[in-house]
Amino acid sequence: MYQASIIGTGSYVPEWVLTNYHLEKMVDTSDQWIIERTGIRERRIASGQETNVTMGAIALERAIKDSGIHVEEIECLVVGTNTTEPVWPSAGGHMAKLLDLQRDLPFFDVQAGCTGFNYALFIAETLVKSGQYRTVAVVGTDKLSSITDYQDRNTCVLFGDGAGAVILRQSEREGIIRSHLGGNAKLRDLLTLSKKSSTGNGYIKMEGRKVYTFAKRAMVQSCLRVLDPSGTADHKELRLLFEQVNKIIPHQANARIIMGAAEELESRLELPDGKAREKMIITIEQYGNNSCASIPLALDLSLRSGKLKRGDLVILVGFGAGLTYAANLIRL
Ligand code: ACO
């Protein structure tokens, strides 16, 4: 069995900044309400020309540059996304074309709500570890603004656009250690698309409170399962495993969900106050929830700012429409 390591990361966000003050003029809300209930101050919104494909391609180009490989070394391209228009052919195909890849290679999209990047990374991990491919590119990209109803204050304050990418390569050293994927289809109606938008794709509709409760529980469960896949460790063993983790990159849906999950971990593992909270990486204040982009974007930004360094043990944990949830345990 081979190992699969992240050898490069990249990200992209659109230039246009939509602040809470802009939103105050669009719906019945306030900067104070949004900050207190979500932790968000601003989010990036794609221009009319930008799509999940164009944003993803820029993030991928940056990840390729960061890794030092040549674009033609990519043997497979896996894209986590929910906002490809039209829905086929896949965003992966469009991206390969934009990057002007000269040879044939497999490419496909993974549609798993905001958990798409975690699922895509797991698929890539499996492809590299099995020896099928040596170099696989993984992209998380979404243009949620295209399915957001800017008259619905329950949702429009949350979402933004962006993309992130990683290059995964067969290696001797430990990289993606393992992943845990989950899903609860009974809860699918909590997060759906209405059929009212002008594009015909519909707008996001959600039962925010119920998604909130699910999200907190699912993130805790997935963090613990990725550390202890057999579920046999007692809480002391789990605590030791957890203490080795340097940082957690959660899906950036709501700062309160993230801190709530951290508090729950502290209570379950009998950790001193703040010990899980200090591990949480939060970028939501500036970027809001940009779905499949949120985790690879936070990963790239954290590596660039020095919050994360090579060798760190990190959990990427997400949840989203489906309802789905997942975590990847990685050594950077
Ligand atoms: N401004 C002002 N008031 C608002 C706003 C707003 N933007 N949105 C809702 N309210 C009101 C509600 O109407 C409600 O009023 P009422 O009591 O008169 O009915 C009140 O605020 C409280 O509403 P709650 O829903 O209980 O507020 P809550 O503290 O739960 O926060 C929120 C709402 C932010 C949506 C929260 O539930 C949440 O983050 N849920 C998870 C959402 C999520 O992560 N979705 C995406 C997952 S998938 C993906 O990432 C694409």
Side-chain angles (χ1 to χ4, degrees):
M1 182 100 145
Y2 302 93
Q3 300 289 336
S5 296
I6 292 177
I7 58 163
T9 63
S11 62
Y12 172 79
V13 289
E15 260 176 50
W16 166 244
V17 179
L18 178 68
T19 66
N20 292 349
Y21 298 109
H22 290 124
L23 287 160
E24 280 181 352
K25 297 193 183 90
M26 295 158 69
V27 288
D28 181 13
T29 190
S30 67
D31 175 53
Q32 191 189 352
W33 190 96
I34 302 171
I35 290 173
E36 279 175 15
R37 300 293 182 115
T38 71
I40 304 170
R41 283 181 196 277
E42 56 189 45
R43 57 298 280 144
R44 299 300 180 96
I45 303 295
S47 69
Q49 284 76 45
E50 289 182 304
T51 64
N52 62 339
V53 172
T54 62
M55 293 189 292
I58 298 172
L60 179 52
E61 251 177 347
R62 290 176 178 173
I64 291 167
K65 192 164 174 231
D66 186 49
S67 67
I69 64 161
H70 189 273
V71 64
E72 296 296 331
E73 291 178 59
I74 296 172
E75 293 164 314
C76 177
L77 170 58
V78 191
V79 182
T81 192
N82 302 283
T83 46
T84 308
E85 288 178 38
V87 77
W88 65 274
S90 68
H94 287 301
M95 256 177 237
K97 190 159 181 275
L98 272 186
L99 291 186
D100 202 23
L101 275 160
Q102 294 301 308
R103 57 178 181 76
D104 282 9
L105 83 165
F107 46 78
F108 54 92
D109 297 356
V110 178
Q111 211 257 59
C114 301
T115 321
F117 181 79
N118 306 83
Y119 273 48
L121 191 61
F122 166 68
I123 294 167
E125 169 200 348
T126 311
L127 291 171
V128 174
K129 284 185 175 171
S130 69
Q132 187 77 29
Y133 300 114
R134 196 159 167 257
T135 310
V136 177
V138 188
V139 180
T141 180
D142 265 311
K143 183 177 171 178
L144 283 187
S145 62
S146 69
I147 52 170
T148 298
D149 178 356
Y150 287 96
Q151 292 177 350
D152 177 7
R153 70 175 184 173
N154 292 297
T155 54
C156 73
V157 301
L158 302 174
F159 302 128
D161 302 328
V166 303
I167 306 294
L168 216 58
R169 183 158 242 187
Q170 213 176 73
S171 66
E172 300 284 309
R173 72 170 188 88
E174 192 175 61
I176 313 291
I177 297 166
R178 72 179 79 88
S179 300
H180 165 258
L181 306 192
N184 184 339
K186 287 191 210 85
L187 301 178
R188 74 175 289 285
D189 293 340
L190 297 186
L191 200 41
T192 54
L193 290 186
S194 72
K195 291 214 170 57
K196 274 191 242 144
S197 72
S198 53
T199 61
N201 285 329
Y203 292 128
I204 299 172
K205 289 281 160 216
M206 65 171 188
E207 293 198 39
R209 259 283 123 197
K210 288 183 182 161
V211 175
Y212 187 106
T213 307
F214 164 85
K216 218 171 81 170
R217 202 181 53 231
M219 291 214 294
V220 169
Q221 188 181 328
S222 220
C223 280
L224 297 179
R225 278 318 275 264
V226 85
L227 288 171
D228 171 31
S230 61
T232 51
D234 64 28
H235 90 272
K236 277 191 190 148
E237 290 166 324
L238 261 178
R239 186 168 63 208
L240 282 176
L241 290 168
F242 186 81
E243 280 169 349
Q244 288 163 26
V245 173
N246 299 97
K247 291 284 177 195
I248 299 173
I249 302 184
H251 172 43
Q252 307 287 313
N254 184 325
R256 280 165 58 224
I257 297 180
I258 295 171
M259 284 307 161
E263 276 175 38
E264 176 69 25
L265 281 164
E266 286 163 12
S267 144
R268 289 269 285 271
L269 302 176
E270 294 178 16
L271 289 162
D273 274 2
K275 277 288 165 203
R277 275 168 279 184
E278 71 191 19
K279 292 185 197 285
M280 293 290 178
I281 287 186
I282 301 189
T283 57
I284 195 169
E285 189 174 333
Q286 279 179 287
Y287 301 106
N289 173 355
N290 44 29
S291 192
C292 288
S294 90
I295 289 175
L297 171 65
L299 174 64
D300 185 49
L301 294 173
S302 304
L303 279 165
R304 272 165 222 295
S305 68
K307 255 189 217 163
L308 285 176
K309 54 186 187 324
R310 296 283 164 195
D312 279 351
L313 186 65
V314 180
I315 296 177
L316 314 179
V317 60
F319 68 92
L323 296 182
T324 55
Y325 54 102
N328 319 91
L329 180 65
I330 66 178
R331 176 78 65 190
L332 284 173

